Amino acid sequence: MSLTTNRRDQDFILYEMLGIEELFLTEKFKDFTRDTFDMTLDMAYKLGEKEVLPRCMEADREGASLVNGSVYVPKCLHSLQKIMSDGGWLTVSAPQDAGGQGMPYVIETAVQENFLFHMGYFMYPAGATGAAHLIYDFGTDDQKKKYMHKIFEGKNGGTMLITEPDAGSDVGALKTKAIRQPDGTYKIKGQKIFISCGDNDLFENIIHPILARIEGDPEGTSGVSLFLMPKYLVNDDGSKGRRNDYTVTGIEHKLGLSANATCAMSFGDNDNCYAELLGEQRQGMKIMFNMMNEERINMGLQGLSTGSAAYHHALSYAKERIQGRPITGSDAKAVTIINHPDVRRMLMWMKSHVEALRAMVFLCAYSIDRKKSSAGDESGKWGGIMEFMVPVLKAFGTDTGFRITETAMQVYGGYGYCKDYPVEQFLRDMKIGSIYEGTNGIQSTDLVMRKLSQNSGQNFRNLVTEMYSALDKYSSIDLISGLSGKFRDAVNVFTDTAEYLTGCMKEKNLLIPLVNSYPFLNLTGIVMSAWLLYWQAGIASQKLAGKAANEGFDVKDIVKMEQLTAKDRDAAFYNSKILTSTFFINNVLPQAFAIKQAIESNDISAMKLVEEDF
């Protein structure tokens, strides 16, 4: 039994739902085949279970350490890094001309679902490839030669240095400065904190993209530039030069992600911290945001991967743990806890959210592939849908991932609270997801204040059109006819609430959308989840009807359908899709209606209460 992800569900979403085989018809991905993708995903699944999962708890127990100014990662991560690097698992979608495999981003996303529950490790190579992509897009040929290729080879690491003690989410308030040198390079002076993977012994060198302000440039975000600051300078022949002038002043002692070194660093204490400008002067924020969409998708993916692993562990435990008697009578023998209604409720809640989140992550990643491989209006449509989805995926995905881990712990009962089982670590590691890469409150503000009106509102309308398209396609199917009306009403609630908040902004009544941005983001996430599960139920219903017809009976024949699902694993899978969608639409989707009612109450009491009375 799987303890990490559901390979069958991955295939269902990729091929039966999204139809990613259309990518084979594009110039960008014409050389790939489904066999290649399937083999890659099968190997990734085995690797996640065999190599990544066992090292997850081991690395957490040992943790990262700072000794004499250098960071040392848990010993088991060195062998894992070699496996990942040698196998090409860190460059699945990296450009082929940079040494990557050039696969679609959606395949890399599906691959990483098998790994990202171990974020304590995976942030090291993920930070590195993020830096490499920045250099690929904005670096000079010399910078690519010196830094990028070794990152993609797995020899160099990488980070992103943004946060300062007095400049967290308000990046424009940063104080780190860059001093221009006669040869065109820069000297960095300042401090940064909360630097994921800021130092480690996994790599020969670490390349730090760092935000700083060139002396004389204006205050605020418009004056920020981005620089490359190596741990070791690189000589002309490619060899490692002197150690750069910065120090690791400490590593954070965190609730979770103990294997990952979250560093505080000081630069230029001896006025000799070397750096090179990446891209153009004063374009630091623009360049940084070039990688932020994929970083935030990765946060949603962390929610999926961790939530999926927590769910599968809880499911395995529920099938083995004998406790209590069934509802059929007190004289019966004790049964496994999966037979108890409340445990079933928790498992179904987790299952429905994991499967909705998987579809949401994969669709967002696939939208990037469609944008890059299409042209004209089609490219713009998918790019716009992705832009709208990103803050929802990041915030709703990480919050949902955490709540899944919390529910998984509840299934275990007291044992879940103990370190004997991994769910307590999943919960600790997942909590940071709502905080880093832009807090979830910031994501909700971005959704309401920017994304709703982006592209004159067309991105939002395109997403809603896709929802109504699913209704047009599947609402006449008997097996899910009872869900169609409820889902249609929810889409109407979604559009009505969006129009209400947009109207408030047009009237300059900004407190209503600002106070309610997070509730609206949750409403959006719930309705999007219902859409994706309804879409899946529609496909499953058609597949079941086809199987019933092949067996010579009507899909409405309940007895024969039960016999079919008992002997046919595919039929059972499709039936589970319908039941999972039914559970979500009947039990979770109604929350959207309550959120709409709360938003339209115009309550701003939180803003009226004086500080002293909180």
Side-chain angles (χ1 to χ4, degrees):
M1 179 180 176
S2 171
L3 290 175
T4 53
T5 190
N6 186 328
R7 271 290 291 121
R8 177 66 181 90
D9 197 45
Q10 284 191 331
D11 283 346
F12 175 81
I13 294 170
L14 292 172
Y15 300 113
E16 299 178 68
M17 183 179 177
L18 299 181
I20 69 164
E21 288 163 302
E22 290 183 18
L23 293 175
F24 303 149
L25 304 178
T26 67
E27 183 65 25
K28 186 174 181 62
F29 300 114
K30 65 180 182 180
D31 294 329
F32 292 102
T33 66
R34 176 168 177 173
D35 287 343
T36 301
F37 291 170
D38 288 348
M39 180 180 68
T40 301
L41 291 172
D42 287 343
M43 292 173 64
Y45 169 74
K46 293 175 183 176
L47 184 62
E49 296 257 335
K50 181 181 178 182
E51 302 291 352
V52 182
L53 183 59
R55 289 175 170 86
C56 190
M57 291 179 70
E58 182 181 352
D60 178 71
R61 300 297 183 263
E62 182 178 348
S65 59
L66 177 64
V67 181
N68 296 326
S70 294
V71 171
Y72 297 89
V73 305
K75 296 180 179 62
C76 65
L77 297 191
H78 287 274
S79 57
L80 183 56
Q81 172 65 15
K82 180 172 175 55
I83 291 170
M84 289 291 185
S85 180
D86 290 351
W89 296 107
L90 308 176
T91 55
V92 173
S93 71
Q96 292 178 336
D97 60 356
Q101 299 170 60
M103 289 190 188
Y105 182 52
V106 69
I107 294 298
E108 177 175 84
T109 300
V111 164
Q112 291 183 353
E113 184 193 341
N114 297 279
F115 309 147
L116 258 65
F117 58 83
H118 191 357
M119 281 295 285
Y121 158 72
F122 208 82
M123 289 172 71
Y124 291 107
T129 53
H133 281 293
L134 282 181
I135 301 171
Y136 181 85
D137 289 335
F138 298 100
T140 65
D141 289 340
D142 183 58
Q143 288 170 339
K144 293 176 182 178
K145 180 181 177 182
K146 282 199 299 184
Y147 305 129
M148 182 193 74
H149 291 292
K150 285 193 174 183
I151 294 178
F152 282 132
E153 290 170 7
K155 296 178 180 178
N156 281 356
T159 63
M160 190 69 189
L161 277 57
I162 302 174
T163 306
E164 299 184 5
D166 298 317
S169 299
D170 184 10
V171 179
L174 63 79
K175 297 178 181 178
T176 299
K177 62 182 179 180
I179 306 161
R180 197 189 313 269
Q181 303 301 299
D183 63 355
T185 62
Y186 292 82
K187 297 291 178 65
I188 301 293
K189 191 87 171 177
Q191 296 179 335
K192 298 284 185 181
I193 60 172
F194 295 155
I195 307 165
S196 301
C197 325
D199 192 50
N200 61 81
D201 60 336
L202 280 177
F203 304 105
E204 297 176 2
N205 200 355
I206 302 174
I207 313 305
H208 301 283
I210 179 171
L211 290 176
R213 195 184 319 277
I214 297 174
E215 283 189 318
D217 277 355
E219 297 296 313
T221 56
S222 63
V224 175
S225 298
L226 187 64
F227 302 84
L228 296 177
M229 185 188 72
K231 179 176 180 179
Y232 294 97
L233 275 60
V234 179
N235 297 321
D236 292 340
D237 62 359
S239 62
K240 191 164 64 176
R242 71 168 174 87
R243 174 74 158 79
N244 213 350
D245 178 26
Y246 69 80
T247 56
V248 178
T249 57
I251 58 175
E252 304 298 339
H253 302 285
K254 309 182 295 294
L255 174 70
L257 298 182
S258 301
N260 193 269
T262 307
C263 297
M265 296 165 65
S266 177
F267 319 104
D269 293 341
N270 298 306
D271 298 321
N272 198 24
C273 185
Y274 172 93
E276 305 172 20
L277 182 68
L278 179 65
E280 298 180 10
Q281 184 174 344
R282 302 183 188 175
Q283 296 297 305
M285 296 300 292
K286 179 181 178 181
I287 295 173
M288 182 192 72
F289 275 105
N290 186 71
M291 67 180 286
M292 289 309 291
N293 277 338
E294 291 188 12
E295 289 298 318
R296 287 169 176 169
I297 292 173
N298 279 342
M299 294 306 99
L301 179 56
Q302 181 188 357
L304 164 62
S305 181
T306 308
S308 179
Y311 163 64
H312 280 93
H313 276 78
L315 176 61
S316 176
Y317 182 81
K319 289 181 176 181
E320 297 172 355
R321 172 66 167 164
I322 297 174
Q323 183 79 53
R325 288 171 172 77
I327 58 175
T328 54
S330 59
D331 293 335
K333 292 182 179 180
V335 295
T336 52
I337 62 173
I338 196 172
N339 290 280
H340 299 315
D342 190 57
V343 174
R344 286 283 181 126
R345 176 193 60 80
M346 290 189 285
L347 291 172
M348 197 63 152
W349 188 94
M350 288 188 284
K351 174 179 167 62
S352 63
H353 281 81
V354 166
E355 292 181 10
L357 194 52
R358 182 175 292 119
M360 196 181 298
V361 171
F362 286 14
L363 174 61
C364 202
Y366 184 51
S367 296
I368 291 180
D369 292 322
R370 291 291 294 271
K371 174 187 176 183
K372 291 181 177 179
S373 61
S374 304
D377 293 342
E378 187 72 4
S379 176
K381 169 190 169 182
W382 288 104
I385 288 176
M386 178 271 295
E387 289 282 350
F388 185 88
M389 288 180 67
V390 163
V392 182
L393 177 57
K394 192 280 176 181
F396 185 78
T398 53
D399 281 340
T400 299
F402 178 75
R403 287 166 186 149
I404 293 169
T405 64
E406 179 186 31
T407 306
M409 180 179 288
Q410 194 71 19
V411 171
Y412 275 84
Y415 284 116
Y417 196 65
C418 299
K419 291 183 180 292
D420 306 70
Y421 294 93
V423 288
E424 62 84 25
Q425 182 187 341
F426 292 148
L427 184 142
R428 288 187 289 107
D429 287 354
M430 190 62 240
K431 185 64 202 97
I432 188 61
S434 63
I435 300 171
Y436 62 8
E437 301 298 347
T439 66
N440 288 356
I442 289 175
Q443 302 305 314
S444 68
T445 302
D446 177 51
L447 176 69
V448 171
M449 305 304 289
R450 291 183 63 245
K451 298 302 173 64
L452 266 180
S453 59
Q454 193 175 43
N455 192 21
S456 300
Q458 189 59 49
N459 296 345
F460 168 74
R461 290 192 293 273
N462 285 339
L463 179 66
V464 172
T465 297
E466 293 296 316
M467 294 182 179
Y468 282 121
S469 294
L471 281 163
D472 292 342
K473 190 171 184 179
Y474 302 119
S475 60
S476 62
I477 297 177
D478 289 336
L479 284 177
I480 59 170
S481 59
L483 305 179
S484 300
K486 295 176 181 179
F487 174 54
R488 187 181 296 275
D489 289 345
V491 179
N492 293 336
V493 161
F494 177 41
T495 57
D496 289 348
T497 310
E499 290 173 4
Y500 179 77
L501 293 175
T502 301
C504 289
M505 287 186 280
K506 288 180 179 178
E507 296 170 2
K508 307 299 182 183
N509 185 10
L510 297 183
L511 273 183
I512 297 298
L514 285 171
V515 168
N516 289 289
S517 65
Y518 185 75
F520 178 73
L521 185 144
N522 277 325
L523 186 157
T524 304
I526 291 168
V527 174
M528 284 178 59
S529 296
W531 163 48
L532 296 167
L533 291 174
Y534 176 83
W535 181 358
Q536 293 179 26
I539 296 169
S541 297
Q542 291 177 332
K543 295 295 180 71
L544 271 181
K547 284 181 172 290
N550 289 336
E551 294 285 331
F553 66 88
D554 189 272
V555 73
K556 296 179 184 178
D557 189 325
I558 296 176
V559 174
K560 289 187 177 180
M561 280 301 299
E562 288 179 349
Q563 293 171 349
L564 176 63
T565 56
K567 70 178 183 180
D568 185 326
R569 285 304 305 155
D570 256 3
F573 174 83
Y574 293 133
N575 188 55
S576 77
K577 282 294 178 186
I578 297 171
L579 292 174
T580 301
S581 176
T582 300
F583 174 87
F584 190 94
I585 290 175
N586 285 335
N587 294 277
V588 181
L589 185 58
Q591 295 173 21
F593 298 83
I595 293 172
K596 176 181 185 291
Q597 183 180 3
I599 289 175
E600 293 183 353
S601 72
N602 290 337
D603 178 59
I604 56 171
S605 53
M607 302 305 298
K608 291 181 177 180
L609 188 66
V610 296
E611 290 183 24
E612 291 77 14
D613 291 335
F614 270 98

